[in-house]
Amino acid sequence: MPFDLALLRSQFPDRHIEWHAAVGSTMTIASRLAASGAASGTVIGAEEQTAGQGRHGRTWHSEPGSGLYFSVILRHQFTPSTLPVVTLALGLAVIGAILEATDLTCDLRWPNDVLIPSKKSEGKCAGILTQLEGSAIIAGIGINVNHSQFPVELSGIATSLRLVSGRAHSRERLLLELLPSIDHYCALLERDGPEPILKLYSRASSYVTGRRVCVDTTLVGTTAGLSDSGFLILRGDDGHDNLIVAGGVRPCS
Ligand code: BTN
């Protein structure tokens, strides 16, 4: 079904919302708009991305019409060092919106993976990318909503809300929940600092404490909480703590 942009605009009359049929990446357009002074809350979405960006230079599979692919410009009183916590705050916003709109409970895998546990395993249903453009933060969010299949290279890794629940979901409903949810967690971070976000994230994520994980296949250990800056603490088998500031965290035995 085509995206109902008129509905979105009617619910958020004060926001600039663009929705494109096909773009390379919504990140590129949002960065350009932010550089030319676009307001906080500006949303750039697309039905399809031909060069969707993921973390670490990966591409984000953006099947036409099936997912939510958008970037939002955030202008808050955050210092650049707060960026890792902003990513965690956005994760909380995404899982809160998914729960409200679909009744599905998601897990968070530090720093930016949104997972849905299913009977067999867990699959990634959403990802978050944050980058700076001058003093603005560009938050890119991709949610696999109604995909019924994935390319073979993503099988066993990606899933969609539809695949897990067995029914289609409204992308508009999800975005109607998500935009205020983003505002809520960013306002909380701006007002009270990182502590409440770190606490909420630690509560929502099964990965923050006591999980045996590998980081980029080089480091192995057990997760031991988050640092004050939002980095993951990994306790090695020698008892030594490593601070993970980037990298892909995966379960391992
Ligand atoms: C990740 O998990 O690696 C992050 C994925 C972020 C994907 C979204 S889709 C909308 C926005 N535009 C992009 O090109 N990337 C982000």
Side-chain angles (χ1 to χ4, degrees):
M1 238 199 273
F3 190 78
D4 190 347
L5 176 57
L7 172 68
L8 254 292
R9 284 186 171 150
S10 72
Q11 298 301 306
F12 302 106
D14 299 333
R15 271 185 207 252
H16 178 71
I17 306 178
E18 289 180 15
W19 212 263
H20 299 263
V23 297
S25 162
T26 60
M27 296 304 278
T28 319
I29 301 177
S31 297
R32 205 167 51 225
L33 283 175
S36 59
S40 191
T42 297
V43 174
I44 311 298
E47 289 295 272
E48 178 185 6
Q49 297 186 113
T50 52
Q53 301 167 16
R55 280 177 83 229
H56 304 305
R58 285 193 283 265
T59 55
W60 183 257
H61 173 67
S62 309
E63 182 184 297
S66 296
L68 262 186
Y69 319 116
F70 72 97
S71 300
V72 56
I73 297 172
L74 303 173
R75 295 187 188 278
H76 292 266
Q77 301 300 314
F78 299 141
T79 56
S81 65
T82 317
L83 197 59
V85 188
V86 175
T87 304
L88 306 185
L90 292 167
L92 290 168
V94 170
I95 65 166
I98 291 177
L99 181 63
E100 285 300 317
T102 70
D103 251 353
L104 292 167
T105 301
C106 296
D107 194 5
L108 288 162
R109 183 170 62 200
W110 186 93
N112 72 328
D113 291 340
V114 180
L115 308 174
I116 311 194
S118 72
K119 273 176 232 133
K120 277 183 276 170
S121 59
E122 59 185 9
K124 177 164 170 171
C125 66
I128 296 151
L129 190 65
T130 42
Q131 64 191 39
L132 289 169
E133 175 58 58
S135 61
I137 292 173
I138 311 298
I141 297 179
I143 306 182
N144 303 329
V145 183
N146 289 322
H147 301 56
S148 50
Q149 56 184 17
F150 287 91
V152 65
E153 66 274 15
L154 293 178
S155 73
I157 300 171
T159 192
S160 72
L161 307 182
R162 177 185 181 158
L163 281 171
V164 174
S165 64
R167 62 192 173 93
H169 297 277
S170 158
R171 294 180 297 152
E172 293 83 352
R173 170 85 207 282
L174 203 45
L175 197 52
L176 286 174
E177 295 289 346
L178 185 45
L179 294 177
S181 187
I182 291 171
D183 288 349
H184 166 78
Y185 285 104
C186 286
L188 179 64
L189 178 57
E190 194 167 38
R191 197 190 62 216
D192 294 348
E195 202 182 314
I197 299 294
L198 299 177
K199 270 198 186 131
L200 290 168
Y201 191 96
S202 303
R203 220 179 284 157
S205 165
S206 76
Y207 274 84
V208 166
T209 312
R211 282 293 290 262
R212 189 86 183 145
V213 298
C214 308
V215 181
D216 290 340
T217 66
T218 48
L219 278 175
V220 182
T222 305
T223 57
L226 297 172
S227 75
D228 293 347
S229 308
F231 299 130
L232 185 66
I233 301 167
L234 184 70
R235 188 151 299 158
D237 294 339
D238 59 0
H240 179 261
D241 284 348
N242 292 289
L243 203 55
I244 310 300
V245 299
V249 171
R250 297 288 175 271
C252 71
S253 43

